[in-house]
Coordinates of all heavy atoms in Angstrom, one line a residue:
F182 N 64.5 37.4 71.0 CA 64.2 36.9 69.7 C 65.3 37.2 68.6 O 65.6 36.4 67.8 CB 62.8 37.3 69.2 CG 61.7 36.9 70.1 CD1 60.5 37.7 70.1 CD2 61.8 35.8 70.9 CE1 59.5 37.3 71.0 CE2 60.7 35.5 71.8 CZ 59.6 36.2 71.8
N183 N 65.8 38.5 68.7 CA 66.8 38.9 67.8 C 68.1 38.2 67.8 O 69.0 38.4 67.0 CB 67.0 40.4 67.9 CG 65.9 41.2 67.2 OD1 65.1 40.7 66.3 ND2 65.7 42.5 67.6
Q184 N 68.3 37.4 68.9 CA 69.6 36.7 69.0 C 69.6 35.4 68.2 O 70.6 34.8 68.0 CB 69.8 36.2 70.5 CG 69.9 37.4 71.5 CD 70.0 36.8 72.9 OE1 70.8 35.9 73.1 NE2 69.3 37.4 73.8
F185 N 68.4 35.0 67.7 CA 68.3 33.7 67.1 C 67.8 33.8 65.6 O 67.1 34.7 65.2 CB 67.3 32.8 67.9 CG 67.8 32.7 69.3 CD1 67.2 33.4 70.4 CD2 68.8 31.9 69.7 CE1 67.6 33.3 71.7 CE2 69.3 31.7 71.0 CZ 68.6 32.5 72.0
P186 N 68.0 32.7 64.8 CA 67.6 32.7 63.4 C 66.1 32.3 63.3 O 65.7 31.4 62.5 CB 68.5 31.6 62.8 CG 68.8 30.7 63.9 CD 68.9 31.5 65.2
I187 N 65.2 33.0 64.1 CA 63.8 32.7 64.0 C 63.3 33.3 62.7 O 63.7 34.4 62.2 CB 63.1 33.4 65.2 CG1 63.5 32.8 66.5 CG2 61.6 33.4 65.0 CD1 63.1 33.7 67.7
V188 N 62.4 32.5 62.0 CA 61.9 32.9 60.7 C 60.7 33.8 60.8 O 60.6 34.8 60.1 CB 61.5 31.6 59.9 CG1 60.8 32.0 58.6 CG2 62.8 30.8 59.5
F189 N 59.8 33.6 61.8 CA 58.7 34.4 62.0 C 58.2 34.4 63.4 O 58.5 33.4 64.2 CB 57.5 34.1 61.1 CG 56.9 32.7 61.3 CD1 55.9 32.6 62.3 CD2 57.3 31.6 60.6 CE1 55.3 31.3 62.5 CE2 56.8 30.3 60.9 CZ 55.7 30.2 61.8
V190 N 57.5 35.4 63.9 CA 56.7 35.3 65.1 C 55.3 35.5 64.7 O 54.9 36.2 63.8 CB 57.2 36.4 66.1 CG1 58.6 36.2 66.5 CG2 56.9 37.8 65.6
N191 N 54.4 34.7 65.4 CA 53.0 34.8 65.2 C 52.3 35.5 66.3 O 52.3 35.0 67.5 CB 52.5 33.3 65.0 CG 51.0 33.3 64.6 OD1 50.3 34.2 64.8 ND2 50.6 32.1 64.2
C192 N 51.7 36.6 66.1 CA 51.1 37.5 67.1 C 49.6 37.6 66.7 O 49.3 38.2 65.6 CB 51.7 38.9 67.1 SG 53.4 38.9 67.2
V193 N 48.6 37.1 67.5 CA 48.8 36.6 68.8 C 48.0 35.3 69.0 O 47.0 35.1 68.3 CB 48.4 37.6 69.9 CG1 49.4 38.8 70.0 CG2 47.0 38.0 69.8
N194 N 48.3 34.6 70.1 CA 47.3 33.5 70.5 C 46.2 34.2 71.3 O 46.2 35.5 71.4 CB 48.1 32.5 71.4 CG 47.4 31.2 71.4 OD1 46.2 31.0 71.2 ND2 48.2 30.1 71.7
S195 N 45.3 33.5 71.8 CA 44.1 34.1 72.5 C 44.6 34.8 73.7 O 45.6 34.6 74.3 CB 43.1 33.0 72.9 OG 43.7 32.0 73.6
I196 N 43.8 35.8 74.2 CA 44.0 36.5 75.4 C 43.6 35.6 76.5 O 42.4 35.2 76.6 CB 43.3 37.9 75.5 CG1 43.8 38.8 74.4 CG2 43.4 38.5 76.9 CD1 43.1 40.1 74.4
G197 N 44.5 35.2 77.4 CA 44.3 34.2 78.4 C 43.3 34.6 79.5 O 43.2 35.8 79.9
N198 N 42.6 33.6 80.0 CA 41.8 33.7 81.2 C 40.8 34.8 81.2 O 40.6 35.5 82.2 CB 42.8 33.8 82.4 CG 43.6 32.6 82.6 OD1 43.2 31.5 82.5 ND2 44.9 32.8 82.8
G199 N 40.0 34.8 80.2 CA 38.8 35.6 80.2 C 37.7 34.8 80.8 O 37.8 33.6 81.1
L200 N 36.6 35.4 81.1 CA 35.4 34.8 81.7 C 34.1 35.3 81.1 O 33.9 36.5 81.0 CB 35.4 35.1 83.2 CG 34.5 34.2 84.1 CD1 35.0 32.8 84.1 CD2 34.5 34.8 85.5
Y201 N 33.3 34.4 80.6 CA 32.0 34.8 80.0 C 30.9 34.2 80.8 O 30.9 33.0 81.1 CB 31.9 34.4 78.6 CG 30.8 35.1 77.8 CD1 30.9 36.4 77.3 CD2 29.6 34.4 77.7 CE1 29.9 37.0 76.6 CE2 28.5 35.0 77.0 CZ 28.7 36.3 76.5 OH 27.6 36.9 75.8
I202 N 29.9 35.0 81.1 CA 28.8 34.5 82.0 C 27.5 34.5 81.2 O 27.2 35.5 80.5 CB 28.7 35.4 83.3 CG1 30.0 35.2 84.1 CG2 27.5 34.9 84.1 CD1 30.1 36.3 85.2
E203 N 26.6 33.5 81.4 CA 25.3 33.5 80.8 C 24.4 32.8 81.8 O 24.7 31.7 82.3 CB 25.4 32.6 79.5 CG 24.2 32.9 78.6 CD 24.5 32.2 77.2 OE1 24.3 31.0 77.1 OE2 25.0 32.9 76.3
D204 N 23.3 33.5 82.1 CA 22.3 32.9 83.1 C 23.0 32.5 84.4 O 22.8 31.5 85.0 CB 21.6 31.7 82.5 CG 20.8 32.0 81.3 OD1 20.2 33.1 81.3 OD2 20.7 31.2 80.4
E205 N 23.9 33.5 84.9 CA 24.5 33.3 86.2 C 25.5 32.2 86.2 O 25.8 31.7 87.3 CB 23.5 33.2 87.3 CG 22.6 34.4 87.4 CD 21.6 34.4 88.6 OE1 22.0 33.9 89.7 OE2 20.5 34.8 88.4
Q206 N 26.0 31.7 85.1 CA 26.9 30.6 85.0 C 27.9 30.8 83.9 O 27.6 31.4 82.9 CB 26.1 29.3 84.7 CG 26.9 28.0 84.7 CD 26.0 26.8 84.5 OE1 25.4 26.3 85.4 NE2 26.0 26.2 83.3
V207 N 29.1 30.2 84.2 CA 30.1 30.3 83.1 C 29.7 29.4 82.0 O 28.8 28.5 82.1 CB 31.5 29.8 83.7 CG1 32.0 30.7 84.8 CG2 31.5 28.4 84.2
V208 N 30.3 29.5 80.8 CA 29.9 28.8 79.6 C 30.8 27.7 79.2 O 30.4 26.9 78.3 CB 29.7 29.8 78.4 CG1 28.6 30.8 78.8 CG2 31.0 30.5 78.1
I209 N 32.0 27.6 79.8 CA 32.8 26.4 79.5 C 33.2 25.7 80.8 O 33.2 26.4 81.9 CB 34.1 26.8 78.7 CG1 34.9 27.8 79.4 CG2 33.7 27.2 77.3 CD1 36.3 28.1 78.8
K210 N 33.5 24.4 80.7 CA 33.7 23.7 82.0 C 35.1 23.7 82.5 O 35.2 23.9 83.8 CB 33.3 22.2 81.7 CG 33.4 21.3 82.9 CD 32.9 19.9 82.5 CE 32.9 19.0 83.8 NZ 32.4 17.6 83.4
P211 N 36.2 23.6 81.8 CA 37.5 23.6 82.3 C 37.9 24.8 83.1 O 37.3 25.9 82.8 CB 38.4 23.4 81.1 CG 37.5 22.9 80.0 CD 36.2 23.5 80.3
K212 N 38.7 24.7 84.1 CA 39.3 25.9 84.8 C 38.2 26.8 85.4 O 38.4 28.0 85.5 CB 40.2 26.7 83.9 CG 41.5 25.9 83.4 CD 42.2 26.7 82.3 CE 42.7 28.0 82.8 NZ 43.5 28.7 81.7
G213 N 37.1 26.2 85.8 CA 36.0 27.0 86.4 C 35.5 28.0 85.5 O 34.9 29.0 85.9
G214 N 35.6 27.8 84.2 CA 35.1 28.8 83.2 C 36.1 29.7 82.6 O 35.7 30.5 81.7
F215 N 37.3 29.8 83.1 CA 38.3 30.7 82.6 C 38.8 30.1 81.2 O 39.1 28.9 81.1 CB 39.5 30.8 83.5 CG 39.2 31.7 84.7 CD1 38.4 31.2 85.8 CD2 39.7 33.0 84.8 CE1 38.2 32.0 86.9 CE2 39.4 33.8 85.9 CZ 38.7 33.3 87.0
G216 N 38.9 31.0 80.2 CA 39.4 30.5 78.9 C 40.0 31.6 78.1 O 39.9 32.8 78.4
G217 N 40.6 31.2 77.0 CA 41.2 32.2 76.1 C 40.2 32.9 75.2 O 39.3 32.2 74.6
L218 N 40.3 34.2 75.1 CA 39.4 35.0 74.2 C 39.9 35.1 72.8 O 41.1 35.3 72.6 CB 39.2 36.4 74.8 CG 38.4 36.5 76.1 CD1 38.4 37.9 76.6 CD2 37.0 35.9 76.0
G219 N 39.0 34.9 71.8 CA 39.4 35.2 70.4 C 38.4 36.0 69.7 O 37.3 36.3 70.3
G220 N 38.6 36.3 68.5 CA 37.7 37.1 67.7 C 37.8 38.6 67.9 O 38.8 39.1 68.2
E221 N 36.7 39.3 67.6 CA 36.7 40.8 67.6 C 37.2 41.3 68.9 O 37.8 42.4 68.9 CB 35.2 41.3 67.4 CG 34.7 41.0 66.0 CD 33.3 41.5 65.9 OE1 33.0 42.7 65.8 OE2 32.3 40.6 65.9
Y222 N 37.0 40.6 70.0 CA 37.5 41.1 71.3 C 39.0 41.5 71.3 O 39.4 42.3 72.0 CB 37.3 40.1 72.4 CG 35.8 39.7 72.7 CD1 35.3 38.4 72.4 CD2 35.0 40.6 73.4 CE1 34.0 38.1 72.7 CE2 33.7 40.2 73.7 CZ 33.2 39.0 73.4 OH 31.9 38.6 73.6
I223 N 39.7 40.7 70.5 CA 41.2 40.8 70.7 C 41.9 41.5 69.5 O 43.1 41.7 69.6 CB 41.8 39.4 70.9 CG1 41.9 38.6 69.5 CG2 41.0 38.6 71.9 CD1 42.8 37.4 69.7
K224 N 41.1 42.0 68.5 CA 41.8 42.6 67.4 C 42.7 43.8 67.8 O 43.9 43.9 67.3 CB 40.8 43.1 66.3 CG 41.6 43.4 65.0 CD 40.6 43.9 63.9 CE 40.3 45.4 64.0 NZ 39.7 45.9 62.7
P225 N 42.3 44.8 68.6 CA 43.2 45.9 68.9 C 44.5 45.4 69.6 O 45.6 45.9 69.3 CB 42.4 46.7 69.9 CG 40.9 46.4 69.5 CD 40.9 45.0 69.2
T226 N 44.4 44.4 70.5 CA 45.6 43.8 71.1 C 46.5 43.1 70.1 O 47.7 43.3 70.1 CB 45.1 42.8 72.2 OG1 44.4 43.6 73.2 CG2 46.3 42.2 72.9
A227 N 45.8 42.4 69.2 CA 46.6 41.7 68.2 C 47.4 42.7 67.3 O 48.6 42.5 67.0 CB 45.7 40.8 67.3
L228 N 46.7 43.7 66.8 CA 47.3 44.7 66.0 C 48.5 45.4 66.7 O 49.5 45.7 66.1 CB 46.3 45.8 65.5 CG 45.2 45.3 64.6 CD1 44.2 46.4 64.3 CD2 45.7 44.7 63.3
A229 N 48.3 45.7 68.0 CA 49.3 46.3 68.7 C 50.6 45.4 68.8 O 51.7 45.9 68.7 CB 48.9 46.6 70.1
N230 N 50.4 44.1 69.0 CA 51.5 43.2 69.1 C 52.2 43.1 67.7 O 53.4 43.1 67.7 CB 51.0 41.9 69.6 CG 50.9 41.8 71.1 OD1 51.8 41.2 71.8 ND2 49.9 42.4 71.7
V231 N 51.4 43.0 66.7 CA 52.0 42.9 65.3 C 52.9 44.1 65.1 O 54.0 44.0 64.6 CB 50.9 42.8 64.2 CG1 51.5 43.0 62.8 CG2 50.2 41.4 64.3
H232 N 52.3 45.3 65.3 CA 53.1 46.5 65.0 C 54.3 46.7 65.9 O 55.4 47.2 65.5 CB 52.2 47.7 65.0 CG 52.8 48.9 64.4 ND1 53.2 48.9 63.0 CD2 53.0 50.2 64.8 CE1 53.7 50.1 62.7 NE2 53.6 50.9 63.8
A233 N 54.1 46.4 67.2 CA 55.2 46.6 68.2 C 56.4 45.7 67.8 O 57.6 46.1 67.8 CB 54.8 46.2 69.6
F234 N 56.1 44.5 67.4 CA 57.2 43.6 67.0 C 57.8 44.0 65.6 O 59.0 43.8 65.3 CB 56.8 42.1 67.0 CG 56.8 41.5 68.4 CD1 55.7 41.2 69.1 CD2 58.0 41.4 69.1 CE1 55.7 40.7 70.4 CE2 58.1 40.9 70.4 CZ 56.9 40.6 71.0
Y235 N 56.9 44.4 64.7 CA 57.4 44.9 63.4 C 58.4 46.0 63.6 O 59.4 46.1 62.9 CB 56.2 45.3 62.5 CG 56.6 45.9 61.2 CD1 57.0 45.0 60.2 CD2 56.6 47.3 60.9 CE1 57.4 45.5 58.9 CE2 57.0 47.7 59.7 CZ 57.4 46.9 58.7 OH 57.8 47.3 57.5
Q236 N 58.1 46.9 64.5 CA 59.0 48.0 64.8 C 60.4 47.6 65.4 O 61.4 48.3 65.3 CB 58.3 49.1 65.7 CG 57.2 49.8 65.1 CD 56.5 50.6 66.1 OE1 56.1 50.2 67.2 NE2 56.3 51.9 65.7
R237 N 60.4 46.5 66.1 CA 61.5 46.1 66.9 C 62.4 44.9 66.4 O 63.6 44.9 66.6 CB 61.1 45.7 68.3 CG 60.6 46.9 69.1 CD 59.8 46.5 70.4 NE 59.5 47.6 71.2 CZ 58.5 48.5 71.0 NH1 57.7 48.3 69.9 NH2 58.3 49.5 71.8
L238 N 61.7 44.0 65.7 CA 62.5 42.8 65.3 C 63.4 43.1 64.1 O 63.1 44.0 63.3 CB 61.5 41.7 64.9 CG 60.7 41.0 66.0 CD1 59.6 40.2 65.4 CD2 61.6 40.2 66.9
K239 N 64.5 42.4 64.0 CA 65.4 42.5 62.9 C 64.6 42.1 61.6 O 63.7 41.3 61.7 CB 66.6 41.6 63.1 CG 66.4 40.1 63.3 CD 67.7 39.4 63.6 CE 67.4 37.9 63.8 NZ 68.7 37.2 64.2
P240 N 64.9 42.7 60.5 CA 64.1 42.6 59.3 C 63.9 41.1 58.8 O 62.9 40.8 58.2 CB 64.9 43.4 58.2 CG 65.7 44.3 59.0 CD 66.1 43.6 60.3
E241 N 64.9 40.3 59.1 CA 64.7 38.9 58.6 C 63.7 38.1 59.4 O 63.4 36.9 59.0 CB 66.1 38.2 58.6 CG 66.9 38.2 59.9 CD 67.9 39.4 59.9 OE1 67.5 40.5 59.5 OE2 69.0 39.1 60.4
I242 N 63.2 38.6 60.5 CA 62.1 37.9 61.3 C 60.8 38.5 60.8 O 60.5 39.7 61.1 CB 62.3 38.0 62.8 CG1 63.7 37.5 63.3 CG2 61.2 37.3 63.5 CD1 63.9 37.6 64.8
Q243 N 60.0 37.7 60.1 CA 58.7 38.2 59.6 C 57.6 38.0 60.7 O 57.8 37.4 61.7 CB 58.4 37.5 58.3 CG 59.3 37.8 57.2 CD 59.0 37.0 55.9 OE1 59.5 36.0 55.7 NE2 58.1 37.6 55.1
I244 N 56.5 38.5 60.4 CA 55.4 38.5 61.4 C 54.1 37.9 60.7 O 53.8 38.2 59.6 CB 55.1 39.9 61.9 CG1 56.3 40.4 62.7 CG2 53.8 39.8 62.8 CD1 56.2 41.8 63.1
V245 N 53.5 37.0 61.4 CA 52.2 36.4 61.0 C 51.2 37.1 62.0 O 51.3 37.0 63.2 CB 52.1 34.9 61.2 CG1 50.7 34.4 60.9 CG2 53.2 34.3 60.2
G246 N 50.2 37.7 61.4 CA 49.2 38.4 62.3 C 48.0 37.5 62.5 O 47.4 37.0 61.5
T247 N 47.5 37.4 63.7 CA 46.4 36.6 64.1 C 45.6 37.3 65.1 O 46.1 37.7 66.1 CB 46.9 35.2 64.6 OG1 47.8 34.6 63.7 CG2 45.7 34.3 64.9
G248 N 44.3 37.4 64.9 CA 43.4 37.9 66.0 C 42.4 38.9 65.4 O 42.7 40.0 64.9
G249 N 41.1 38.5 65.5 CA 40.0 39.4 65.2 C 39.8 39.7 63.7 O 39.3 40.7 63.3
V250 N 40.2 38.7 62.8 CA 40.0 38.9 61.4 C 38.7 38.4 60.9 O 38.5 37.1 60.9 CB 41.2 38.3 60.6 CG1 41.0 38.5 59.1 CG2 42.5 38.9 61.0
L251 N 37.8 39.3 60.6 CA 36.4 38.9 60.2 C 36.2 39.4 58.8 O 35.3 38.8 58.1 CB 35.3 39.5 61.1 CG 35.1 38.8 62.4 CD1 36.2 39.2 63.4 CD2 33.7 39.3 63.0
T252 N 36.9 40.4 58.3 CA 36.7 41.0 57.0 C 38.0 41.3 56.3 O 39.1 41.2 56.9 CB 36.0 42.4 57.2 OG1 36.9 43.3 57.9 CG2 34.7 42.2 58.0
G253 N 37.9 41.7 55.1 CA 39.1 42.1 54.3 C 39.8 43.3 55.0 O 41.0 43.4 55.0
R254 N 39.0 44.2 55.5 CA 39.6 45.4 56.2 C 40.4 44.9 57.4 O 41.5 45.5 57.7 CB 38.5 46.4 56.6 CG 39.1 47.6 57.3 CD 38.1 48.7 57.5 NE 37.7 49.3 56.2 CZ 38.4 50.2 55.6 NH1 39.6 50.7 56.2 NH2 38.1 50.7 54.4
D255 N 40.0 43.9 58.1 CA 40.7 43.5 59.3 C 42.1 42.9 58.8 O 43.1 43.1 59.4 CB 40.0 42.4 60.0 CG 38.7 42.9 60.6 OD1 38.6 44.0 61.0 OD2 37.7 42.1 60.7
A256 N 42.1 42.1 57.8 CA 43.3 41.5 57.2 C 44.2 42.7 56.7 O 45.4 42.6 57.0 CB 43.0 40.6 56.1
F257 N 43.6 43.7 56.1 CA 44.4 44.8 55.6 C 45.1 45.5 56.8 O 46.3 45.9 56.6 CB 43.4 45.8 54.9 CG 44.1 47.0 54.4 CD1 44.6 47.1 53.1 CD2 44.2 48.2 55.2 CE1 45.2 48.2 52.6 CE2 44.8 49.3 54.7 CZ 45.3 49.4 53.4
E258 N 44.4 45.7 57.9 CA 45.0 46.3 59.0 C 46.2 45.5 59.6 O 47.2 46.1 60.1 CB 44.0 46.6 60.1 CG 43.0 47.7 59.6 CD 41.8 47.9 60.6 OE1 41.8 47.3 61.7 OE2 40.9 48.7 60.3

Side-chain angles (χ1 to χ4, degrees):
F182 302 152
N183 279 341
Q184 297 177 48
F185 302 103
I187 295 167
V188 170
F189 66 87
V190 298
N191 186 343
C192 307
V193 293
N194 206 333
S195 56
I196 295 179
N198 295 316
L200 195 67
Y201 192 83
I202 299 168
E203 200 170 80
D204 296 327
E205 301 183 37
Q206 181 175 286
V207 300
V208 296
I209 57 173
K210 184 174 182 179
K212 294 171 61 178
F215 285 77
L218 293 176
E221 292 177 74
Y222 296 109
I223 78 168
K224 192 181 86 166
T226 297
L228 293 177
N230 276 256
V231 168
H232 196 55
F234 280 114
Y235 178 76
Q236 292 174 307
R237 289 166 173 78
L238 289 170
K239 57 187 180 182
E241 52 266 44
I242 302 180
Q243 293 177 270
I244 298 172
V245 175
T247 308
V250 178
L251 284 75
T252 67
R254 179 169 292 277
D255 297 327
F257 179 90
E258 291 177 3

